[in-house]
Amino acid sequence: MSASPTSGLGMTSQRSRDRMVRQLKDMGIHDARVLEVMRTTPRHLFVEEGLAHRAYDNTPLPIGYEQTISQPYIVARMTEACLQRGQPQKVLEIGTGSGYQAAVLAQLVPRVVSLERIRPLQRQAREVLNVLKLDNVSLRHVDGFGGWPEDAPYDVILLTAAPVEVPAALLDQLTLGGQLLAPVGAAGRQNLIRLVKTDQGFEKQDLGAVSFVPLLPGAIA
Ligand code: SAH
């Protein structure tokens, strides 16, 4: 983790951020709000210093503990999907990881709650979010399979790790009209699924193939 927002400035220049945003546009991200937040959020603070020069490449990067910070395109696409059904007031993310997705969301929605099972990752994410003064994000160290009923209901529940099936407890924590976005399936063959809660039940939409780390049970200190 870099301590200062300006460290490694040469390698993390505006030029490399602008190039990343051009790639996101070429890949089909259209929402101007999302593109602007992707352009201004310092992704290099969310990766190890030694990887800062690759922070604006459109690729996932290791963050330790066998986890990765998602590819910028995936973060942009998930964020765009979050905003597609009207402005959410409260979003639950499962899988804080580096905190980058939470940071992007926190600039577009009033309140973000994010759950992480690996304590040291949660601590690192907290530090960076503090540096960025994103104080509308609540981080919780917990196994996310059960969601976080204390702050429910949520307009959006976003999973950034893949379960084989959507955990039923999460569906109870959605508002009526709210949506859950999750990569679902075994390693290497997941699809991004959208479930919208209606008064009849759930409407399901398949948003295409994706690749995420698995959602694993149990919190680790
Ligand atoms: N959103 C992250 C991507 C993190 S990768 C980012 O922007 O960097 C997925 C994360 O999900 C990992 O940190 C992993 O530890 C976490 N995870 C996996 N299973 C989990 C569970 N049951 N509860 C909470 N977090 C979980």
Side-chain angles (χ1 to χ4, degrees):
M1 289 293 143
S2 307
S4 143
T6 51
S7 65
L9 201 60
M11 295 178 293
T12 55
S13 65
Q14 202 53 54
R15 204 161 358 129
S16 52
R17 297 185 192 198
D18 290 344
R19 187 189 56 207
M20 180 185 86
V21 169
R22 273 199 307 278
Q23 288 170 348
L24 298 178
K25 278 188 194 161
D26 289 347
M27 291 175 83
I29 305 298
H30 299 302
D31 191 315
R33 295 166 299 174
V34 175
L35 290 168
E36 181 58 13
V37 170
M38 295 297 295
R39 195 176 65 76
T40 56
T41 304
R43 191 171 184 256
H44 63 281
L45 297 187
F46 294 87
V47 300
E48 288 162 27
E49 251 166 19
L51 291 171
H53 65 291
R54 296 183 57 198
Y56 300 95
D57 291 355
N58 188 21
T59 177
L61 293 170
I63 55 173
Y65 306 90
E66 295 175 30
Q67 304 304 321
T68 55
I69 179 173
S70 304
Q71 179 193 16
Y73 168 68
I74 285 292
V75 173
R77 184 153 165 236
M78 300 274 266
T79 306
E80 197 169 60
C82 285
L83 301 178
Q84 249 160 12
R85 298 183 37 81
Q87 172 68 51
Q89 296 304 311
K90 205 194 306 175
V91 175
L92 175 68
E93 178 194 27
I94 301 177
T96 310
S98 68
Y100 178 65
Q101 171 77 76
V104 168
L105 280 172
Q107 297 170 78
L108 294 162
V109 303
R111 176 101 201 275
V112 178
V113 178
S114 182
L115 314 181
E116 173 57 55
R117 70 187 279 269
I118 302 176
R119 172 78 86 183
L121 285 178
Q122 188 218 333
R123 285 211 194 97
Q124 282 175 3
R126 174 82 281 150
E127 278 178 31
V128 184
L129 293 170
N130 284 347
V131 168
L132 298 178
K133 300 191 166 57
L134 293 171
D135 54 14
N136 58 334
V137 186
S138 308
L139 300 184
R140 307 285 176 223
H141 175 235
V142 66
D143 175 351
F145 270 93
W148 187 256
E150 286 85 340
D151 286 307
Y154 305 96
D155 302 306
V156 178
I157 299 181
L158 180 73
L159 279 74
T160 65
V164 176
E165 276 175 35
V166 174
L170 301 182
L171 299 176
D172 296 338
Q173 295 173 30
L174 277 176
T175 55
L176 192 61
Q179 56 166 335
L180 177 141
L181 293 159
V184 180
R189 46 197 177 87
Q190 301 144 1
N191 284 56
L192 185 60
I193 300 298
R194 168 187 272 151
L195 292 174
V196 177
K197 191 172 196 165
T198 71
D199 46 15
Q200 319 282 331
F202 289 89
E203 273 166 25
K204 183 174 170 179
Q205 211 183 338
D206 186 337
L207 304 179
V210 286
S211 177
F212 279 81
V213 296
L215 191 72
L216 298 172
I220 299 174

